[in-house]
Amino acid sequence: PLTEHKVISDSVNIYCEWLSALLPNPKICVPRPVLEDPNFYGQKIITHLNHLFIPRKGEAQDTIHRQAVVCHRVLRRVQELAHQSTVMERETWEALLSF
């Protein structure tokens, strides 16, 4: 639930860092398995991040604002991937374009 904002926000930050494996200069914090198979893990991460964009009914205004901030973080990373990645495979592009 979105009421667990801190956990969700931290998870999104980790996922966004790990997605840097698809960029020319991945972050140092990216685990070796993700670096070795960035498209496989990138597709899974992108699919998970898509769930953040599902509208929630009955949420407080503050919760909706927090959801928007987290979604904005994801969209910035997606935009960066679209512009800079040179290793994305067709399936990864398809997942990315689901945004």
Side-chain angles (χ1 to χ4, degrees), residues 12 21 23 46 60 63 71 74:
V12 166
L23 296 171
I46 291 166
T63 304
C71 289
V74 171

Side-chain angles (χ1 to χ4, degrees), residues 3 14 20 33 40 47 57 67 75 84 89-91 93:
T3 55
I14 291 168
S20 74
F40 173 78
T47 300
K57 294 183 181 180
Q67 179 183 10
L75 290 174
Q84 296 180 22
E89 298 170 350
R90 178 186 176 101
E91 294 82 7
W93 271 107

Side-chain angles (χ1 to χ4, degrees), residues 16-37:
C16 285
E17 294 296 302
W18 289 4
L19 282 172
S20 74
L22 292 163
L23 296 171
N25 297 305
K27 304 277 185 170
I28 195 164
C29 62
V30 179
R32 176 167 278 121
V34 178
L35 289 171
E36 291 173 354
D37 198 357

Side-chain angles (χ1 to χ4, degrees), residues 1-67:
L2 290 174
T3 55
E4 300 296 331
H5 175 71
K6 179 70 172 138
V7 173
I8 293 170
S9 179
D10 289 346
S11 300
V12 166
N13 286 334
I14 291 168
Y15 267 176
C16 285
E17 294 296 302
W18 289 4
L19 282 172
S20 74
L22 292 163
L23 296 171
N25 297 305
K27 304 277 185 170
I28 195 164
C29 62
V30 179
R32 176 167 278 121
V34 178
L35 289 171
E36 291 173 354
D37 198 357
N39 281 285
F40 173 78
Y41 288 101
Q43 291 166 37
K44 296 213 175 278
I45 290 170
I46 291 166
T47 300
H48 292 171
L49 291 174
N50 267 322
H51 295 289
L52 291 171
F53 292 84
I54 298 171
R56 306 315 198 273
K57 294 183 181 180
E59 295 288 347
Q61 188 66 32
D62 182 56
T63 304
I64 294 169
H65 174 73
R66 289 178 181 181
Q67 179 183 10

